[in-house]
Amino acid sequence: MAKIGWIDSHCHIFSDEYRDCFDEVIKRAEENQVVQMLGICCTIEECEWALSMEKKDEIDIAVGFHPSDIKVACNWERLEELTRDPRIVAVGEIGLDYYWDKDNKEQQKEAFIRQIELANKVNKPIIVHSRDAMQDTIEILMQHSCNRKGIIHCYSGSVESAKILLNLGYTISFAGPVTFKKSVTPKEVATMIPLDRILTETDCPYMTPEPFRGKRNEPSYVPYTAKKVCELKNLEEEAFQKACLANYQALFHSEN
Ligand code: NI
């Protein structure tokens, strides 16, 4: 990694949302000192499109079946093939979402565990989505450890849960909500997370940070979230950037 700058460790830049403006979105990110992006693909098609593009060092790719999508038939064989591609740095996003789906909890758990096992098989870290399901998420991660660990993305849980996840070896990533005036817990969590286990993200097109809340999100907005975390941790921007880059490299670009 040559440049120092901001990281968007979770962006859906390969979704249909950006199909017509991909180059401009990436250009705006670069103009705003975003030096590393991890594009999360939730479908086989998105991932195939991502892999069809020319390789860029500042854009990594992850693929996995999102808990809200596993009701429909999933092509598990193709997923495994894709995760073996050297350009795929992680399996995700995977996890549990009881906010949108309460009626298929067992199915969600099964798909989550199956994808943790897949990550271990292909020796890659995981990107974890957990919404209104922290207790079950922690239980699964305790019983089914990912060898390369990974990220709990857009973290929205309590300080206590964060401590458990840190003890399990995971990295905590913050998105737009940490910039919202009324959000208290994400700010408390950001303040206490050790610098070697923290990352930032947009989760675009959703979760737009202040002052753009209400607009469509994109990677060029990640500095607003990152600067808020810097402020909460009382850190110089460059020190924070260096720490996040080191965390990112350790997770995705070191063959341990
Ligand atoms: Ni996401």
Side-chain angles (χ1 to χ4, degrees):
M1 176 106 31
K3 284 185 256 174
I4 295 285
W6 307 111
I7 294 189
D8 189 350
S9 73
H10 190 115
C11 47
H12 294 270
I13 47 175
F14 300 113
S15 70
D16 289 346
E17 193 76 35
Y18 306 103
R19 208 50 74 95
D20 300 329
C21 56
F22 186 82
D23 291 340
E24 294 101 275
V25 165
I26 300 305
K27 189 163 170 257
R28 278 197 292 276
E30 288 165 352
E31 285 166 358
N32 286 279
Q33 283 76 53
V34 180
V35 295
Q36 187 70 57
M37 288 163 259
L38 176 49
I40 308 289
C41 302
C42 292
T43 66
I44 299 293
E45 292 72 29
E46 274 181 27
C47 187
E48 285 171 344
W49 187 65
L51 289 170
S52 75
M53 283 194 276
E54 194 191 328
K55 187 190 179 322
K56 278 189 156 195
D57 284 342
E58 68 269 34
I59 304 177
D60 285 319
I61 311 167
V63 64
F65 294 134
H66 188 285
S68 301
D69 294 334
I70 49 126
K71 273 182 178 169
V72 294
C74 297
N75 189 341
W76 291 97
E77 269 172 45
R78 185 69 184 128
L79 179 67
E80 179 165 342
E81 275 170 25
L82 288 169
T83 57
R84 288 185 188 281
D85 190 294
R87 286 178 64 189
I88 303 297
V89 300
V91 177
E93 58 189 290
I94 61 174
L96 304 172
D97 194 317
Y98 298 166
Y99 178 82
W100 290 110
D101 297 292
K102 294 175 185 67
D103 57 343
N104 69 337
K105 291 184 181 179
E106 287 312 309
Q107 192 188 18
Q108 290 191 42
K109 287 183 194 174
E110 261 172 47
F112 185 20
I113 294 165
R114 186 168 179 174
Q115 292 180 97
I116 296 171
E117 286 165 359
L118 172 61
N120 286 338
K121 199 168 164 186
V122 298
N123 191 31
K124 287 180 187 175
I126 54 174
I127 312 292
V128 178
H129 171 106
S130 178
R131 191 164 182 200
D132 289 357
M134 193 49 82
Q135 197 62 42
D136 284 357
T137 303
I138 287 174
E139 242 165 67
I140 287 178
L141 290 173
M142 279 180 162
Q143 285 156 13
H144 305 267
S145 168
C146 179
N147 300 336
R148 292 271 307 269
K149 306 302 175 190
I151 296 176
I152 313 299
H153 108 89
C154 192
Y155 185 77
S156 61
S158 65
V159 170
E160 292 70 32
S161 297
K163 286 181 181 165
I164 297 170
L165 292 161
L166 288 169
N167 279 334
L168 290 173
Y170 291 88
T171 296
I172 306 284
S173 179
F174 293 92
V178 80
T179 68
F180 301 167
K181 234 185 211 150
K182 281 186 180 161
S183 81
V184 177
T185 315
K187 293 193 182 85
E188 284 175 14
V189 178
T191 308
M192 64 71 84
I193 298 288
L195 200 49
D196 63 349
R197 300 287 282 286
I198 198 164
L199 276 170
T200 56
E201 65 175 274
T202 57
D203 198 17
C204 67
Y206 313 110
M207 296 289 169
T208 314
E210 293 290 3
F212 301 108
R213 216 175 158 181
K215 280 186 71 179
R216 181 177 75 179
N217 201 1
E218 61 171 56
S220 68
Y221 294 162
V222 82
Y224 293 90
T225 296
K227 285 176 188 181
K228 186 71 202 179
V229 177
C230 264
E231 186 192 309
L232 291 166
K233 299 191 83 60
N234 216 348
L235 280 168
E236 298 287 340
E237 286 180 8
E238 202 181 303
F240 184 64
Q241 289 173 333
K242 282 183 178 166
C244 288
L245 285 164
N247 297 344
Y248 186 92
Q249 289 295 90
L251 260 177
F252 302 115
H253 295 291
S254 69
E255 295 309 315
N256 45 8

